[in-house]
Amino acid sequence: MKVVIQRVSSASVTIDDKTVADIQKGLLVLVGIEDADVQEDIAWLAAKIANIRIFGDENEVMNLSVKDIDGDIIVVSQFTLHASTKKGNRPSYLKASKPEVAIPMYVNFVKRLEIELGKKVQTGVFGADMKVLLLNDGPVTIIIDSKNRE
């Protein structure tokens, strides 16, 4: 699994002019799922996201997690994170899982993240044409690949 984590002052997801997710301070997490992903990837990433210390403490040092600040999270599926741009100018998405594999993994990821966070996680709608609006705070953007645990 690949995720792009963005620390936000606010974020929302709109589908057909209807807001389906809306948060203030917290994280916007874009997630891409591939066929090689397993439940261990979900558990590891959910714990990492809930506990990653990218929010400022009283000295403005990044020492606090989204849990520490009682922040919120929006998770948005994004198969394009698995784009291969090796050949030509048109990206290939062969590594990205098809919906029949990706949807159950996505649902499990959101549930596990809710357990780690201790509250509801908002989401976009898998496969929908979404408009994602965010105010990146910092900016702070972290990319994590569960297959490359450094």
Side-chain angles (χ1 to χ4, degrees):
M1 294 177 78
K2 288 184 183 177
V3 294
V4 175
I5 303 166
Q6 296 180 84
R7 185 179 77 182
V8 298
S9 296
S10 63
S12 64
V13 178
T14 303
I15 301 170
D16 295 329
D17 295 322
K18 181 180 178 214
T19 301
V20 297
D22 187 18
I23 64 169
Q24 294 305 304
K25 192 169 189 172
L27 300 174
L28 173 66
V29 178
L30 307 174
V31 60
I33 299 165
E34 64 178 318
D35 289 344
D37 293 328
V38 295
Q39 294 303 314
E40 182 184 328
D41 294 303
I42 289 173
W44 182 82
L45 267 176
K48 181 65 81 174
I49 291 165
N51 294 293
I52 194 164
R53 299 183 325 177
I54 59 174
F55 290 90
D57 62 15
E58 64 277 356
N59 297 314
E60 292 306 313
V61 176
M62 287 195 274
N63 273 328
L64 302 175
S65 70
V66 67
K67 283 173 32 174
D68 295 331
I69 65 152
D70 194 30
D72 292 307
I73 297 177
I74 295 178
V75 175
V76 175
S77 62
Q78 189 162 4
F79 74 93
T80 59
L81 292 179
H82 287 290
S84 172
T85 58
K86 202 172 196 174
K87 291 194 227 173
N89 293 318
R90 183 172 183 212
S92 166
Y93 304 105
L94 291 175
K95 284 184 74 176
S97 290
K98 301 288 185 255
E100 57 271 10
V101 172
I103 291 172
M105 293 289 285
Y106 175 78
V107 169
N108 287 340
F109 174 69
V110 170
K111 286 179 184 174
R112 184 61 183 252
L113 193 51
E114 288 176 336
I115 291 167
E116 292 288 341
L117 189 60
K119 64 178 174 178
K120 185 86 173 130
V121 168
Q122 296 186 48
T123 66
V125 174
F126 192 95
D129 180 19
M130 296 175 269
K131 306 304 179 211
V132 180
L133 184 65
L134 69 134
L135 182 57
N136 192 316
D137 180 18
V140 175
T141 302
I142 309 285
I143 301 169
I144 302 175
D145 185 336
S146 65
K147 302 297 188 251
N148 186 19
R149 299 180 189 184
E150 297 178 336

